[in-house]
Amino acid sequence: MRRRIVLSLLLLLPACGDPAPERVGVVVSGLPSRAAELAADALADDAAPPFELTVVRRDPISADTALAVAEMLAADARVLAVIGHSNSAASLAASQVYNQAGLVQIAPTTTAVAYGAAGPYSFRMVPGDDRQAAFIADHGQTGWPPASRIAIVYVNDDYGRSFYRELRPRLDDVVFEGIYSEQSDSAFLAGLARQLGEAQPDLLIWLGRPVPLRVAMAYLRDALPAMRTICGDACDNDAVYANRDQAFTGLRFVRFTDPAADNDAMSAFRRAYQEVAGAPPSSEAILTYDAVVVIAAAFGDGMRDRRRVRDYLHSLGRSRPPVAGLGGEVAFDEAGNLLRDYLLADVAAGGTVPVPVVLR
């Protein structure tokens, strides 16, 4: 294989005497970073221009760590683009460094509204939370069936606060509002779940990560067996797809792609990803793969400096056609957002099941 990967902070694979190719930084969750490597392998097989991946494996990645990693990548003149980071707080923090350095950043799953104004070098593979909030509010209040008593719980970080600010004004009949932090222990989360149970909602909207939700759901299954739970895109996560011990069975969540899509390209990717990651792919993996494909397309069109890579991305869907990815066509709006449809999925005992409806 012609692909070369530099595992920064873990392992450096030196070049082998060839002229030094361009580099692409990859700063995403542990397993989805494997998708970047698969993309680089596939592109090498297709005789794409050679490039290296600088893969940083550190999950979760805090805002402070994100700044340090961003400075390291920005200081390497061979790095012409970065794919990451793994959450909104990290992406927002790092975007300051990347824009100052004139270095393209493509965030696969960052949805915080503020990221859309981070700067001209900031792109993302998904829309912002203002659109997702409207989608969830509409679905929660008009379908599934309509809810009359709604609870909201959100994580106290850039992702959760942004999402909550966009969602709350769109909801009526809210009977409980809760907040937790990434440092909240199981005792705090169990107490939060008890308070939630006392409010007797018929719908819980969870704007946070799946691991804390798992603690809450363990209590709420007995306390509120008829309550429905919908989680935002943060639950489009390896842990939810794995659903060990059936912990997430009954959960509905928002996602940006369907990893089980019935086409040859996605089928081949699923097989390859399962082999190297030992788990089914999430949207982060698919969108990370597509981000590598887009950057490689820029290299293939001769964009071999940071500014030209940025200009190439801005041209997609305008003076250039969109790039075809696993998750759909890739083209960005003026703010660097990729506007796509939202999908829904239910977690069942036998696996994740697509909900047969697509709302915008």
PDB file of all heavy atoms in Angstrom, residues 121-150:
ATOM      1  N   TYR A 121     -11.788  29.184   7.202  1.00  0.00           N
ATOM      2  CA  TYR A 121     -11.126  27.891   7.042  1.00  0.00           C
ATOM      3  C   TYR A 121     -11.862  26.779   7.782  1.00  0.00           C
ATOM      4  O   TYR A 121     -11.361  25.655   7.854  1.00  0.00           O
ATOM      5  CB  TYR A 121      -9.672  27.970   7.518  1.00  0.00           C
ATOM      6  CG  TYR A 121      -8.774  28.715   6.544  1.00  0.00           C
ATOM      7  CD1 TYR A 121      -8.686  30.091   6.574  1.00  0.00           C
ATOM      8  CD2 TYR A 121      -8.048  28.030   5.577  1.00  0.00           C
ATOM      9  CE1 TYR A 121      -7.887  30.791   5.674  1.00  0.00           C
ATOM     10  CE2 TYR A 121      -7.246  28.712   4.673  1.00  0.00           C
ATOM     11  CZ  TYR A 121      -7.172  30.084   4.719  1.00  0.00           C
ATOM     12  OH  TYR A 121      -6.379  30.763   3.814  1.00  0.00           O
ATOM     13  N   SER A 122     -13.038  27.074   8.350  1.00  0.00           N
ATOM     14  CA  SER A 122     -13.809  26.101   9.127  1.00  0.00           C
ATOM     15  C   SER A 122     -14.951  25.529   8.296  1.00  0.00           C
ATOM     16  O   SER A 122     -15.824  26.266   7.840  1.00  0.00           O
ATOM     17  CB  SER A 122     -14.371  26.765  10.393  1.00  0.00           C
ATOM     18  OG  SER A 122     -13.330  27.255  11.212  1.00  0.00           O
ATOM     19  N   PHE A 123     -14.939  24.230   8.117  1.00  0.00           N
ATOM     20  CA  PHE A 123     -15.977  23.517   7.384  1.00  0.00           C
ATOM     21  C   PHE A 123     -16.487  22.387   8.268  1.00  0.00           C
ATOM     22  O   PHE A 123     -15.817  21.955   9.196  1.00  0.00           O
ATOM     23  CB  PHE A 123     -15.422  22.924   6.084  1.00  0.00           C
ATOM     24  CG  PHE A 123     -14.923  23.945   5.102  1.00  0.00           C
ATOM     25  CD1 PHE A 123     -13.652  24.506   5.245  1.00  0.00           C
ATOM     26  CD2 PHE A 123     -15.708  24.350   4.042  1.00  0.00           C
ATOM     27  CE1 PHE A 123     -13.188  25.451   4.344  1.00  0.00           C
ATOM     28  CE2 PHE A 123     -15.254  25.295   3.128  1.00  0.00           C
ATOM     29  CZ  PHE A 123     -13.992  25.848   3.279  1.00  0.00           C
ATOM     30  N   ARG A 124     -17.686  21.912   7.963  1.00  0.00           N
ATOM     31  CA  ARG A 124     -18.194  20.737   8.667  1.00  0.00           C
ATOM     32  C   ARG A 124     -19.083  19.926   7.747  1.00  0.00           C
ATOM     33  O   ARG A 124     -19.678  20.460   6.805  1.00  0.00           O
ATOM     34  CB  ARG A 124     -18.943  21.131   9.941  1.00  0.00           C
ATOM     35  CG  ARG A 124     -20.078  22.113   9.766  1.00  0.00           C
ATOM     36  CD  ARG A 124     -20.713  22.423  11.112  1.00  0.00           C
ATOM     37  NE  ARG A 124     -21.546  23.601  11.102  1.00  0.00           N
ATOM     38  CZ  ARG A 124     -22.055  24.156  12.195  1.00  0.00           C
ATOM     39  NH1 ARG A 124     -21.819  23.634  13.365  1.00  0.00           N
ATOM     40  NH2 ARG A 124     -22.804  25.240  12.114  1.00  0.00           N
ATOM     41  N   MET A 125     -19.183  18.643   8.058  1.00  0.00           N
ATOM     42  CA  MET A 125     -19.902  17.705   7.207  1.00  0.00           C
ATOM     43  C   MET A 125     -21.372  17.586   7.562  1.00  0.00           C
ATOM     44  O   MET A 125     -22.074  16.715   7.025  1.00  0.00           O
ATOM     45  CB  MET A 125     -19.241  16.321   7.307  1.00  0.00           C
ATOM     46  CG  MET A 125     -17.771  16.290   6.925  1.00  0.00           C
ATOM     47  SD  MET A 125     -17.493  16.583   5.166  1.00  0.00           S
ATOM     48  CE  MET A 125     -18.080  15.039   4.466  1.00  0.00           C
ATOM     49  N   VAL A 126     -21.861  18.449   8.459  1.00  0.00           N
ATOM     50  CA  VAL A 126     -23.236  18.366   8.956  1.00  0.00           C
ATOM     51  C   VAL A 126     -23.799  19.770   9.122  1.00  0.00           C
ATOM     52  O   VAL A 126     -23.043  20.748   9.173  1.00  0.00           O
ATOM     53  CB  VAL A 126     -23.289  17.625  10.308  1.00  0.00           C
ATOM     54  CG1 VAL A 126     -22.926  16.164  10.142  1.00  0.00           C
ATOM     55  CG2 VAL A 126     -22.368  18.292  11.328  1.00  0.00           C
ATOM     56  N   PRO A 127     -25.119  19.917   9.248  1.00  0.00           N
ATOM     57  CA  PRO A 127     -25.701  21.224   9.558  1.00  0.00           C
ATOM     58  C   PRO A 127     -25.529  21.568  11.032  1.00  0.00           C
ATOM     59  O   PRO A 127     -25.102  20.742  11.844  1.00  0.00           O
ATOM     60  CB  PRO A 127     -27.190  21.041   9.214  1.00  0.00           C
ATOM     61  CG  PRO A 127     -27.304  19.700   8.556  1.00  0.00           C
ATOM     62  CD  PRO A 127     -26.131  18.905   8.989  1.00  0.00           C
ATOM     63  N   GLY A 128     -25.909  22.790  11.395  1.00  0.00           N
ATOM     64  CA  GLY A 128     -25.842  23.228  12.781  1.00  0.00           C
ATOM     65  C   GLY A 128     -27.070  22.814  13.583  1.00  0.00           C
ATOM     66  O   GLY A 128     -28.072  22.341  13.044  1.00  0.00           O
ATOM     67  N   ASP A 129     -26.978  23.009  14.901  1.00  0.00           N
ATOM     68  CA  ASP A 129     -28.042  22.567  15.800  1.00  0.00           C
ATOM     69  C   ASP A 129     -29.332  23.359  15.661  1.00  0.00           C
ATOM     70  O   ASP A 129     -30.379  22.912  16.145  1.00  0.00           O
ATOM     71  CB  ASP A 129     -27.560  22.643  17.248  1.00  0.00           C
ATOM     72  CG  ASP A 129     -26.660  21.485  17.613  1.00  0.00           C
ATOM     73  OD1 ASP A 129     -26.881  20.382  17.104  1.00  0.00           O
ATOM     74  OD2 ASP A 129     -25.728  21.688  18.415  1.00  0.00           O
ATOM     75  N   ASP A 130     -29.299  24.520  15.036  1.00  0.00           N
ATOM     76  CA  ASP A 130     -30.551  25.240  14.823  1.00  0.00           C
ATOM     77  C   ASP A 130     -31.479  24.414  13.949  1.00  0.00           C
ATOM     78  O   ASP A 130     -32.693  24.326  14.201  1.00  0.00           O
ATOM     79  CB  ASP A 130     -30.297  26.622  14.218  1.00  0.00           C
ATOM     80  CG  ASP A 130     -29.366  26.588  13.012  1.00  0.00           C
ATOM     81  OD1 ASP A 130     -28.688  25.564  12.793  1.00  0.00           O
ATOM     82  OD2 ASP A 130     -29.323  27.609  12.294  1.00  0.00           O
ATOM     83  N   ARG A 131     -30.952  23.759  12.939  1.00  0.00           N
ATOM     84  CA  ARG A 131     -31.769  22.909  12.069  1.00  0.00           C
ATOM     85  C   ARG A 131     -32.168  21.611  12.775  1.00  0.00           C
ATOM     86  O   ARG A 131     -33.304  21.146  12.645  1.00  0.00           O
ATOM     87  CB  ARG A 131     -31.010  22.602  10.780  1.00  0.00           C
ATOM     88  CG  ARG A 131     -30.766  23.828   9.900  1.00  0.00           C
ATOM     89  CD  ARG A 131     -29.796  23.525   8.765  1.00  0.00           C
ATOM     90  NE  ARG A 131     -30.274  22.477   7.896  1.00  0.00           N
ATOM     91  CZ  ARG A 131     -31.006  22.677   6.799  1.00  0.00           C
ATOM     92  NH1 ARG A 131     -31.364  23.910   6.459  1.00  0.00           N
ATOM     93  NH2 ARG A 131     -31.377  21.674   6.031  1.00  0.00           N
ATOM     94  N   GLN A 132     -31.244  21.024  13.523  1.00  0.00           N
ATOM     95  CA  GLN A 132     -31.578  19.783  14.220  1.00  0.00           C
ATOM     96  C   GLN A 132     -32.625  20.032  15.306  1.00  0.00           C
ATOM     97  O   GLN A 132     -33.491  19.185  15.549  1.00  0.00           O
ATOM     98  CB  GLN A 132     -30.324  19.147  14.832  1.00  0.00           C
ATOM     99  CG  GLN A 132     -30.601  17.778  15.421  1.00  0.00           C
ATOM    100  CD  GLN A 132     -29.380  17.058  15.932  1.00  0.00           C
ATOM    101  OE1 GLN A 132     -29.487  15.970  16.492  1.00  0.00           O
ATOM    102  NE2 GLN A 132     -28.200  17.641  15.745  1.00  0.00           N
ATOM    103  N   ALA A 133     -32.546  21.181  15.974  1.00  0.00           N
ATOM    104  CA  ALA A 133     -33.531  21.503  17.010  1.00  0.00           C
ATOM    105  C   ALA A 133     -34.934  21.562  16.428  1.00  0.00           C
ATOM    106  O   ALA A 133     -35.894  21.046  17.012  1.00  0.00           O
ATOM    107  CB  ALA A 133     -33.168  22.831  17.670  1.00  0.00           C
ATOM    108  N   ALA A 134     -35.072  22.189  15.258  1.00  0.00           N
ATOM    109  CA  ALA A 134     -36.377  22.262  14.611  1.00  0.00           C
ATOM    110  C   ALA A 134     -36.875  20.865  14.237  1.00  0.00           C
ATOM    111  O   ALA A 134     -38.066  20.552  14.369  1.00  0.00           O
ATOM    112  CB  ALA A 134     -36.297  23.156  13.376  1.00  0.00           C
ATOM    113  N   PHE A 135     -35.959  20.018  13.785  1.00  0.00           N
ATOM    114  CA  PHE A 135     -36.308  18.651  13.403  1.00  0.00           C
ATOM    115  C   PHE A 135     -36.820  17.860  14.610  1.00  0.00           C
ATOM    116  O   PHE A 135     -37.871  17.215  14.555  1.00  0.00           O
ATOM    117  CB  PHE A 135     -35.073  17.978  12.800  1.00  0.00           C
ATOM    118  CG  PHE A 135     -35.238  16.516  12.523  1.00  0.00           C
ATOM    119  CD1 PHE A 135     -35.941  16.084  11.410  1.00  0.00           C
ATOM    120  CD2 PHE A 135     -34.681  15.572  13.368  1.00  0.00           C
ATOM    121  CE1 PHE A 135     -36.085  14.729  11.147  1.00  0.00           C
ATOM    122  CE2 PHE A 135     -34.825  14.222  13.111  1.00  0.00           C
ATOM    123  CZ  PHE A 135     -35.530  13.793  12.002  1.00  0.00           C
ATOM    124  N   ILE A 136     -36.090  17.914  15.725  1.00  0.00           N
ATOM    125  CA  ILE A 136     -36.489  17.159  16.916  1.00  0.00           C
ATOM    126  C   ILE A 136     -37.783  17.707  17.498  1.00  0.00           C
ATOM    127  O   ILE A 136     -38.667  16.947  17.918  1.00  0.00           O
ATOM    128  CB  ILE A 136     -35.361  17.174  17.962  1.00  0.00           C
ATOM    129  CG1 ILE A 136     -34.213  16.274  17.493  1.00  0.00           C
ATOM    130  CG2 ILE A 136     -35.871  16.705  19.326  1.00  0.00           C
ATOM    131  CD1 ILE A 136     -33.053  16.188  18.457  1.00  0.00           C
ATOM    132  N   ALA A 137     -37.923  19.026  17.562  1.00  0.00           N
ATOM    133  CA  ALA A 137     -39.142  19.616  18.114  1.00  0.00           C
ATOM    134  C   ALA A 137     -40.357  19.187  17.301  1.00  0.00           C
ATOM    135  O   ALA A 137     -41.406  18.822  17.862  1.00  0.00           O
ATOM    136  CB  ALA A 137     -39.026  21.134  18.136  1.00  0.00           C
ATOM    137  N   ASP A 138     -40.223  19.204  15.985  1.00  0.00           N
ATOM    138  CA  ASP A 138     -41.336  18.800  15.140  1.00  0.00           C
ATOM    139  C   ASP A 138     -41.673  17.332  15.347  1.00  0.00           C
ATOM    140  O   ASP A 138     -42.840  16.955  15.487  1.00  0.00           O
ATOM    141  CB  ASP A 138     -40.985  19.067  13.675  1.00  0.00           C
ATOM    142  CG  ASP A 138     -42.113  18.656  12.736  1.00  0.00           C
ATOM    143  OD1 ASP A 138     -43.153  19.329  12.746  1.00  0.00           O
ATOM    144  OD2 ASP A 138     -41.950  17.660  12.000  1.00  0.00           O
ATOM    145  N   HIS A 139     -40.659  16.487  15.392  1.00  0.00           N
ATOM    146  CA  HIS A 139     -40.894  15.057  15.548  1.00  0.00           C
ATOM    147  C   HIS A 139     -41.475  14.747  16.931  1.00  0.00           C
ATOM    148  O   HIS A 139     -42.385  13.930  17.050  1.00  0.00           O
ATOM    149  CB  HIS A 139     -39.591  14.287  15.345  1.00  0.00           C
ATOM    150  CG  HIS A 139     -39.765  12.799  15.412  1.00  0.00           C
ATOM    151  ND1 HIS A 139     -40.465  12.096  14.459  1.00  0.00           N
ATOM    152  CD2 HIS A 139     -39.353  11.894  16.335  1.00  0.00           C
ATOM    153  CE1 HIS A 139     -40.465  10.806  14.781  1.00  0.00           C
ATOM    154  NE2 HIS A 139     -39.799  10.656  15.905  1.00  0.00           N
ATOM    155  N   GLY A 140     -40.960  15.414  17.975  1.00  0.00           N
ATOM    156  CA  GLY A 140     -41.414  15.117  19.328  1.00  0.00           C
ATOM    157  C   GLY A 140     -42.831  15.573  19.604  1.00  0.00           C
ATOM    158  O   GLY A 140     -43.543  14.954  20.402  1.00  0.00           O
ATOM    159  N   GLN A 141     -43.244  16.650  18.968  1.00  0.00           N
ATOM    160  CA  GLN A 141     -44.548  17.224  19.287  1.00  0.00           C
ATOM    161  C   GLN A 141     -45.640  16.861  18.292  1.00  0.00           C
ATOM    162  O   GLN A 141     -46.814  17.075  18.559  1.00  0.00           O
ATOM    163  CB  GLN A 141     -44.426  18.755  19.365  1.00  0.00           C
ATOM    164  CG  GLN A 141     -43.553  19.203  20.527  1.00  0.00           C
ATOM    165  CD  GLN A 141     -43.431  20.710  20.631  1.00  0.00           C
ATOM    166  OE1 GLN A 141     -43.674  21.299  21.668  1.00  0.00           O
ATOM    167  NE2 GLN A 141     -43.059  21.347  19.537  1.00  0.00           N
ATOM    168  N   THR A 142     -45.271  16.316  17.140  1.00  0.00           N
ATOM    169  CA  THR A 142     -46.292  16.010  16.138  1.00  0.00           C
ATOM    170  C   THR A 142     -46.294  14.544  15.718  1.00  0.00           C
ATOM    171  O   THR A 142     -47.183  14.129  14.984  1.00  0.00           O
ATOM    172  CB  THR A 142     -46.099  16.869  14.876  1.00  0.00           C
ATOM    173  OG1 THR A 142     -44.840  16.536  14.264  1.00  0.00           O
ATOM    174  CG2 THR A 142     -46.116  18.344  15.212  1.00  0.00           C
ATOM    175  N   GLY A 143     -45.339  13.779  16.164  1.00  0.00           N
ATOM    176  CA  GLY A 143     -45.281  12.384  15.737  1.00  0.00           C
ATOM    177  C   GLY A 143     -44.798  11.466  16.833  1.00  0.00           C
ATOM    178  O   GLY A 143     -44.400  11.906  17.899  1.00  0.00           O
ATOM    179  N   TRP A 144     -44.960  10.196  16.616  1.00  0.00           N
ATOM    180  CA  TRP A 144     -44.311   9.119  17.393  1.00  0.00           C
ATOM    181  C   TRP A 144     -45.002   8.615  18.643  1.00  0.00           C
ATOM    182  O   TRP A 144     -44.419   7.775  19.307  1.00  0.00           O
ATOM    183  CB  TRP A 144     -42.887   9.570  17.705  1.00  0.00           C
ATOM    184  CG  TRP A 144     -42.011   8.462  18.220  1.00  0.00           C
ATOM    185  CD1 TRP A 144     -42.065   7.136  17.932  1.00  0.00           C
ATOM    186  CD2 TRP A 144     -40.942   8.598  19.150  1.00  0.00           C
ATOM    187  NE1 TRP A 144     -41.084   6.448  18.607  1.00  0.00           N
ATOM    188  CE2 TRP A 144     -40.379   7.320  19.358  1.00  0.00           C
ATOM    189  CE3 TRP A 144     -40.389   9.673  19.831  1.00  0.00           C
ATOM    190  CZ2 TRP A 144     -39.307   7.086  20.214  1.00  0.00           C
ATOM    191  CZ3 TRP A 144     -39.318   9.444  20.669  1.00  0.00           C
ATOM    192  CH2 TRP A 144     -38.779   8.163  20.861  1.00  0.00           C
ATOM    193  N   PRO A 145     -46.114   8.823  19.171  1.00  0.00           N
ATOM    194  CA  PRO A 145     -47.125   9.854  18.859  1.00  0.00           C
ATOM    195  C   PRO A 145     -46.760  11.182  19.524  1.00  0.00           C
ATOM    196  O   PRO A 145     -45.756  11.256  20.233  1.00  0.00           O
ATOM    197  CB  PRO A 145     -48.390   9.258  19.479  1.00  0.00           C
ATOM    198  CG  PRO A 145     -47.873   8.494  20.652  1.00  0.00           C
ATOM    199  CD  PRO A 145     -46.549   7.914  20.228  1.00  0.00           C
ATOM    200  N   PRO A 146     -47.582  12.223  19.321  1.00  0.00           N
ATOM    201  CA  PRO A 146     -47.260  13.530  19.904  1.00  0.00           C
ATOM    202  C   PRO A 146     -47.122  13.450  21.426  1.00  0.00           C
ATOM    203  O   PRO A 146     -47.860  12.733  22.098  1.00  0.00           O
ATOM    204  CB  PRO A 146     -48.456  14.399  19.502  1.00  0.00           C
ATOM    205  CG  PRO A 146     -49.002  13.745  18.288  1.00  0.00           C
ATOM    206  CD  PRO A 146     -48.780  12.272  18.474  1.00  0.00           C
ATOM    207  N   ALA A 147     -46.153  14.207  21.967  1.00  0.00           N
ATOM    208  CA  ALA A 147     -45.919  14.218  23.410  1.00  0.00           C
ATOM    209  C   ALA A 147     -46.646  15.393  24.050  1.00  0.00           C
ATOM    210  O   ALA A 147     -46.717  16.477  23.480  1.00  0.00           O
ATOM    211  CB  ALA A 147     -44.420  14.325  23.681  1.00  0.00           C
ATOM    212  N   SER A 148     -47.163  15.167  25.246  1.00  0.00           N
ATOM    213  CA  SER A 148     -47.829  16.243  25.987  1.00  0.00           C
ATOM    214  C   SER A 148     -47.057  16.666  27.231  1.00  0.00           C
ATOM    215  O   SER A 148     -47.306  17.736  27.782  1.00  0.00           O
ATOM    216  CB  SER A 148     -49.241  15.808  26.394  1.00  0.00           C
ATOM    217  OG  SER A 148     -49.187  14.640  27.201  1.00  0.00           O
ATOM    218  N   ARG A 149     -46.114  15.830  27.672  1.00  0.00           N
ATOM    219  CA  ARG A 149     -45.266  16.151  28.826  1.00  0.00           C
ATOM    220  C   ARG A 149     -43.826  15.822  28.447  1.00  0.00           C
ATOM    221  O   ARG A 149     -43.471  14.650  28.289  1.00  0.00           O
ATOM    222  CB  ARG A 149     -45.696  15.366  30.070  1.00  0.00           C
ATOM    223  CG  ARG A 149     -47.089  15.735  30.580  1.00  0.00           C
ATOM    224  CD  ARG A 149     -47.511  14.847  31.742  1.00  0.00           C
ATOM    225  NE  ARG A 149     -46.615  14.976  32.891  1.00  0.00           N
ATOM    226  CZ  ARG A 149     -46.686  15.955  33.802  1.00  0.00           C
ATOM    227  NH1 ARG A 149     -47.606  16.910  33.680  1.00  0.00           N
ATOM    228  NH2 ARG A 149     -45.851  15.992  34.822  1.00  0.00           N
ATOM    229  N   ILE A 150     -43.015  16.850  28.285  1.00  0.00           N
ATOM    230  CA  ILE A 150     -41.668  16.688  27.733  1.00  0.00           C
ATOM    231  C   ILE A 150     -40.615  17.011  28.787  1.00  0.00           C
ATOM    232  O   ILE A 150     -40.747  17.992  29.532  1.00  0.00           O
ATOM    233  CB  ILE A 150     -41.475  17.606  26.509  1.00  0.00           C
ATOM    234  CG1 ILE A 150     -42.476  17.231  25.407  1.00  0.00           C
ATOM    235  CG2 ILE A 150     -40.042  17.516  25.976  1.00  0.00           C
ATOM    236  CD1 ILE A 150     -42.461  18.175  24.223  1.00  0.00           C
TER     237      ILE A 150
END
